[in-house]
Amino acid sequence: MSLPSHVYDPLRIASALSPALFSLGDPDLLVELLNSNPAGVVMVEADPDLPVVYCNDSFQRWAPLGDRPILGRSMLELFVWADRSAVRSTYRTVIQTGVPIHRRSVPYRLRPQDHEADGYWSASHYPLRGPNGRVTHVLSISVDVTNQTVGQARLQETQQRTLSALARIARHLTTAGQAPSFFNELSATIADLVSAERVAFWLYDPEDETISAQLGHFGFTVDELQLASRLPCRPGGTDPLERVVFDDLIVVRDSDVAVPWKAGDHRLGALGAYNSTRSSGFTDEDVRALQAAATAAALVWEHRQADDALAEMRERETTSLRRQIEQSIELEHLKTDFLKLASHELRGPLSVVRGYISMMEDGTLGPVGQSVAPVLPLLRAKLDEMNQLINEIVETARLEDSALELQLNRLDLRDVVQAALHALVPLPGAGHHLVTCVADPPVTVVGDGSRLRMIVTNLVHNAIKYSPKGGEVGVTCDMEDGLARIAVTDHGVGIAAEDRDRLFTRFGRIVTRETAGLPGTGLGLYLARDLARRHGGDVTVQSEPGLGSTFTLSLPLPPS
Ligand code: ADP
């Protein structure tokens, strides 16, 4: 280590010393300075045996020869148990090179029987030259630096302990479990760290302004802790514990130490260590380690609190989600029950009306008046529409009961289109006209005729219903890409892209300004797609809002 230049500036030193140079040249003064110096001063001759020609009182006191005379003896002899070769080589180097040697904090054993160094010395060895310039003597000045060295070592040890305290406590960040066991483990770690018989965390409760030792403790009995529960604790209080909590006081007594336990400005309480297991009691280092431990423990505690709050929030969310799911399952059951009930209750009255219309149509009820005859086809169409509606409801209920079975036959899809359209002919208003375009060769599929008709009826019915301003409704039936297809195109309200998936869900209706007044159940497309998929096919949609839509039923062609 080099000295700072302002200290070791030779010119400055010379000018500072110049007023005293005359007195300093006085040999008596020099002898006096050396003799009375608290540093050990010894001078040896530049001879292989290194005989001592001078030593001062301090050196005599430290040298391990007691009161026996030192002068005239070899320097090497004085420190028999020391590293003699190191001593010899140091002196030889100074003598040969003429350059001083400085050694700092060299470990040193005071007694030959000691195995470990119990002292540390810093020594400087200066060459002294004779008139011919050759080194004739070496002057050594040594200082006992044991205290500084030990102090430094202790500081390092404290830092080490503090770091290990932080590391050990940080491990509790990941420990799960209830608060008492958490505090218990943390207290045990801290007790071990500061060599305490007992350790307790005191948690401050701002609600009722009390402080209580936590159930998770180390070394206390439960009875003792019960006594230390809900003690009054207020800002401005004079009790030592109150002052630890609110004024950052550190209490250090023979048998106990208490330090604040806080995370930033959040005052959690206090951390106390009681009864040192060392006879010397708690040291300053223990207090520092306890402070570090309290800081780390506060962070760990805050972290746990945040974790617990998060877990509680998640639990609450999960419970509410579970409840919502249960409710929607219950609602689904209610809907299914309603579907069954509605279809059952509607069928009876409807078959009565149907009977009467048939009788009016075939004249069983006598001749029909001129004003009634033209509306009979419309009545029939509306009746079929209602019938279709009830069929949809019945089918949906069946579908949910898994009671739906397809009656599969080879059939021409063109016939299905014709049958569906036939039933719907009276429905379109003046503004609509149906345009059908079916392929020439038969479009043969294996399917359930009445279910396929139901799908087509629904698609055409929707095309009419959702083009309230009228327009052309086109129905095509052909084969393409190995599929049989029926496409129904309208120029109606169309469907926004984001709504398209919802069309096919149960009760999925899209109500816009244009469609608000139109009746419907939201079951038709749900059923259509489901039935199509049971045939190995699908119902898909293409649409432009405001321009119209095309719904396509596609079915696999049977192997020829
Ligand atoms: P709904 O009984 O309501 O007609 P559907 O399942 O047949 O039930 O149809 C579901 C929804 O899809 C309808 O409410 C409507 O918003 C929309 N939709 C069906 N077909 C068309 C179409 N051709 N044009 C525009 N929207 C349609």
Side-chain angles (χ1 to χ4, degrees):
M1 192 181 79
S2 60
L3 289 170
S5 58
H6 69 273
V7 177
Y8 199 63
D9 177 352
L11 280 178
R12 246 186 95 198
I13 295 171
S15 84
L17 284 175
S18 60
L21 279 181
F22 178 75
S23 316
L24 284 176
D26 178 357
D28 290 342
L29 179 60
L30 184 64
V31 169
E32 179 58 28
L33 280 177
L34 293 179
N35 271 348
S36 61
N37 206 299
V41 182
V42 60
M43 189 162 81
V44 297
E45 237 181 86
D47 177 282
D49 279 349
L50 303 171
V52 174
V53 293
Y54 167 78
C55 75
N56 71 355
D57 287 351
S58 301
F59 186 83
Q60 174 82 47
R61 228 180 3 262
W62 289 324
L65 292 177
D67 291 334
R68 280 190 285 156
I70 291 175
L71 296 187
R73 303 187 67 151
S74 165
M75 191 66 176
L76 300 170
E77 247 180 84
L78 299 185
F79 304 99
V80 224
W81 57 89
D83 186 352
R84 292 166 82 179
S85 65
V87 174
R88 180 181 284 124
S89 108
T90 303
Y91 277 101
R92 190 184 296 150
T93 310
V94 176
I95 293 164
Q96 280 172 359
T97 63
V99 176
I101 286 185
H102 305 283
R103 299 241 186 267
R104 303 205 182 276
S105 299
V106 181
Y108 175 76
R109 286 184 291 143
L110 278 183
R111 285 170 298 275
Q113 65 273 23
D114 290 345
H115 294 296
E116 283 193 16
D118 42 15
Y120 292 86
W121 292 75
S122 286
S124 293
H125 309 279
Y126 297 95
L128 304 177
R129 294 172 196 277
N132 56 4
R134 277 190 42 234
V135 175
T136 57
H137 295 85
V138 176
L139 185 75
S140 302
I141 300 174
S142 5
V143 183
D144 183 351
V145 290
T146 308
N147 285 347
Q148 290 102 300
T149 311
V150 169
Q152 210 162 23
R154 207 176 286 153
L155 195 72
Q156 264 171 7
E157 192 204 311
T158 309
Q159 280 171 347
Q160 206 55 44
R161 274 176 70 189
T162 311
L163 282 177
S164 91
L166 296 178
R168 285 171 65 182
I169 289 166
R171 259 185 246 140
H172 292 279
L173 269 178
T174 48
T175 13
Q178 298 296 306
S181 76
F182 163 76
F183 279 118
N184 196 247
E185 285 171 29
L186 208 57
S187 310
T189 307
I190 293 169
D192 182 38
L193 199 76
V194 299
S195 309
E197 277 176 18
R198 306 187 292 176
V199 163
F201 279 89
W202 295 81
L203 189 64
Y204 168 62
D205 181 350
E207 294 270 302
D208 59 359
E209 298 200 306
T210 58
I211 196 162
S212 309
Q214 285 308 285
L215 272 185
H217 51 87
F218 180 79
F220 285 94
T221 65
V222 175
D223 290 345
E224 278 171 322
L225 282 183
Q226 258 155 13
L227 287 176
S229 170
R230 298 172 63 80
L231 307 177
C233 185
R234 290 186 187 89
T238 50
D239 183 82
L241 202 54
E242 286 176 313
R243 299 206 46 216
V244 170
V245 177
F246 296 108
D247 303 334
D248 294 336
L249 183 77
I250 295 173
V251 173
V252 185
R253 289 190 289 231
D254 284 349
S255 64
D256 57 76
V257 181
V259 298
W261 178 35
K262 59 177 194 168
D265 289 339
H266 188 197
R267 296 180 181 278
L268 299 169
L271 170 61
Y274 307 86
N275 311 94
S276 172
T277 54
R278 281 178 296 210
S279 54
S280 50
F282 290 117
T283 61
D284 287 354
E285 283 80 42
D286 290 333
V287 176
R288 276 192 283 275
L290 199 66
Q291 277 180 292
T295 308
L299 294 178
V300 172
W301 175 245
E302 295 273 271
H303 189 278
R304 269 184 70 103
Q305 295 290 92
D307 263 3
D308 287 353
L310 210 67
E312 203 177 300
M313 210 166 79
R314 275 201 211 111
E315 176 61 30
R316 263 207 309 272
E317 269 174 15
T318 316
T319 314
S320 112
L321 211 65
R322 203 179 301 128
R323 203 172 301 132
Q324 276 175 24
I325 292 171
E326 281 165 9
Q327 275 172 357
S328 59
I329 290 175
E330 203 175 314
L331 207 65
E332 288 295 298
H333 286 151
L334 277 176
K335 282 181 186 172
T336 310
D337 290 349
F338 168 75
L339 289 179
K340 278 192 219 158
L341 191 77
S343 57
H344 187 257
E345 294 300 313
L346 283 174
R347 271 208 160 152
L350 205 65
S351 60
V352 175
V353 177
R354 185 202 297 275
Y356 275 103
I357 287 183
S358 297
M359 286 192 281
M360 284 161 88
E361 281 171 338
D362 62 17
T364 315
L365 287 182
V368 179
Q370 272 194 346
S371 55
V372 176
V375 295
L376 273 184
L378 190 67
L379 282 182
R380 158 67 62 190
K382 285 287 170 194
L383 203 65
D384 286 345
E385 200 182 321
M386 277 175 78
N387 205 41
Q388 160 87 5
L389 207 70
I390 292 172
N391 281 345
E392 280 180 6
I393 296 176
V394 173
E395 288 288 79
T396 311
R398 275 198 197 130
L399 209 117
E400 257 129 55
D401 271 0
S402 313
L404 189 136
E405 270 180 37
L406 296 180
Q407 308 295 319
L408 295 178
N409 290 302
R410 270 181 101 81
L411 47 88
D412 186 348
L413 211 50
R414 296 176 309 169
D415 298 340
V416 173
V417 173
Q418 295 306 344
L421 293 183
H422 180 71
L424 287 168
V425 166
L427 267 190
H432 292 103
H433 58 278
L434 281 174
V435 178
T436 320
C437 178
V438 293
D440 231 0
V443 182
T444 310
V445 295
V446 174
D448 182 326
S450 71
R451 260 77 186 228
L452 292 178
R453 199 174 71 229
M454 183 186 258
I455 298 174
V456 179
T457 308
N458 178 265
L459 296 184
V460 179
H461 190 200
N462 276 354
I464 297 167
K465 187 162 61 167
Y466 295 109
S467 45
K469 292 187 185 140
E472 187 180 290
V473 173
V475 183
T476 61
C477 176
D478 55 17
M479 288 177 280
E480 209 180 283
D481 301 333
L483 292 173
R485 294 186 323 173
I486 298 175
V488 181
T489 304
D490 65 60
H491 300 281
V493 295
I495 304 143
E498 63 270 21
D499 292 330
R500 277 176 214 156
D501 283 342
R502 200 144 53 86
L503 306 180
F504 298 97
T505 58
R506 201 172 68 144
F507 297 110
R509 305 201 69 216
I510 291 126
V511 181
T512 61
R513 203 157 35 85
E514 293 111 317
T515 63
L518 301 172
T521 57
L523 292 176
L525 286 179
Y526 164 69
L527 201 59
R529 175 170 271 181
D530 196 279
L531 288 173
R533 288 186 175 173
R534 280 165 194 259
H535 280 82
D538 206 354
V539 175
T540 51
V541 62
Q542 283 179 306
S543 185
E544 274 293 321
L547 293 181
S549 318
T550 297
F551 282 84
T552 308
L553 161 69
S554 47
L555 295 169
L557 290 171
S560 48

